[in-house]
Amino acid sequence: MPTPTVRQLTLDLTAQLAALYPAPEAEAMAALVVESLLHLSPLQRRMQAESPVPAAVAEQVPTLLARLLRHEPVQYVLGQAHFYDLELAVTPATLIPRPETEELVQLIIRAHQRQPGLRILDVGTGSGCIPVALSQHLPGAYLTAVDISAEALAVARQNAATYQAAIDFQQVDILHNLPKVEAHSLDVLVSNPPYVLEKEKTLMRPNVLAHEPATALFVPDHDPLLFYHRLAEVGCQLLRPGGMLYVEGNEQYMHAVAAALAAVAYQQAHVHADLFGKDRFVSAVAPATWPGLC
């Protein structure tokens, strides 16, 4: 039986995935699978549309498709995710990097690209997407990244090694401990912490709920700002005067996050919308002195 062309394989995968996913998403997933298996860019996939798919590659497709039809995220099936022009390894131990977090990275790069010798801490690093991306655009920065999960840190170290990023990874439970960082030395503290409420599980899609790490997603319904209050304390102890705190979060609570930071002396607490107009990020400036928070 002849093997399909690149176009035929893409169309066949799209048709089968459309049973579970909206057509544009099914098409995008099929394209990712084909590009990954054949090591093609999107442009190359289109230019080589009539090329035959090697038999050895075609033989891998049924196993991958079966996993996708069980709602396993395509990034885990392929073992990689796109993020800020990077190809990062991901596993079920790490949250899949989201496009919104690319905007958080862009916010930091724009604000600090002319600032030499930056000292940056990323809390809850997961795959290491934030510090690895920052390392590529803020040369000379000193980067530290922490996570509670040893398995996630192993993936993050792999991604850092791929891009020759010098990052100090530490396993830390940030709710109860501080990383090994000199007091009041940081220029930037950044975090994309867990911010999905437990009660919102019913609104989540099966491919997220069943496969992505719960510790990276959920906070208790009774304490939605749990991690933001703790990050405020961490910043109090580790940010230098004038240092910046950047966080991502649930659009319902970002104004509350900004208000909470302002209430404990952070200055210029500002809510930033994402590309879809949703309140997604907060930035704030550490004051010269802290009124008892530390």
Side-chain angles (χ1 to χ4, degrees), residues 193-201 204 217-221 250:
Y195 60 73
V196 181
L197 301 181
E198 291 281 349
K199 66 183 180 183
E200 293 177 323
K201 284 184 177 181
M204 301 184 72
L217 288 169
F218 297 109
V219 289
D221 293 342
N250 189 322

Side-chain angles (χ1 to χ4, degrees), residues 10 13-14 17-18 21-36 42 45 68 74-75 78 82:
T10 306
L13 284 171
T14 300
L17 292 169
Y21 298 96
E25 187 171 355
E27 184 177 348
M29 291 171 65
L32 279 176
V33 171
V34 172
E35 289 160 11
S36 177
R45 175 179 56 82
L68 292 170
V74 64
Q75 292 88 348
L78 299 177
H82 299 284

Side-chain angles (χ1 to χ4, degrees), residues 49-124:
E50 302 309 321
S51 299
V53 174
V57 172
E59 290 171 0
Q60 301 176 48
V61 173
T63 300
L64 298 182
L65 179 61
R67 293 173 65 185
L68 292 170
L69 292 175
R70 291 195 296 268
H71 294 280
E72 188 172 351
V74 64
Q75 292 88 348
Y76 291 155
V77 172
L78 299 177
Q80 62 184 24
H82 299 284
F83 184 83
Y84 215 87
D85 296 329
L86 307 173
E87 289 287 347
L88 299 178
V90 292
T91 75
T94 67
L95 199 66
I96 296 167
R98 267 45 175 198
E100 295 87 351
T101 307
E102 294 182 330
E103 296 181 53
L104 177 63
V105 168
Q106 182 65 30
L107 194 66
I108 295 170
I109 292 171
R110 285 178 177 171
H112 300 279
Q113 58 190 341
R114 293 181 177 84
Q115 190 175 343
L118 283 165
R119 295 187 176 272
I120 301 172
L121 169 64
D122 175 37
V123 172

Side-chain angles (χ1 to χ4, degrees), residues 156-228:
R157 290 188 177 98
Q158 177 185 340
N159 286 324
T162 298
Y163 290 97
Q164 299 181 321
I167 301 169
D168 176 22
F169 291 104
Q170 302 177 21
Q171 185 176 6
V172 177
D173 178 355
I174 200 64
L175 290 177
H176 300 100
N177 298 287
L178 285 174
K180 294 178 181 178
V181 173
E182 184 180 349
H184 306 297
S185 66
L186 292 178
D187 298 289
V188 172
L189 169 59
V190 57
S191 183
N192 177 21
Y195 60 73
V196 181
L197 301 181
E198 291 281 349
K199 66 183 180 183
E200 293 177 323
K201 284 184 177 181
T202 57
L203 304 176
M204 301 184 72
R205 294 171 58 171
N207 60 330
V208 175
L209 194 58
H211 296 281
E212 298 199 56
T215 54
L217 288 169
F218 297 109
V219 289
D221 293 342
H222 68 274
D223 195 3
L225 303 190
L226 170 65
F227 282 93
Y228 301 101

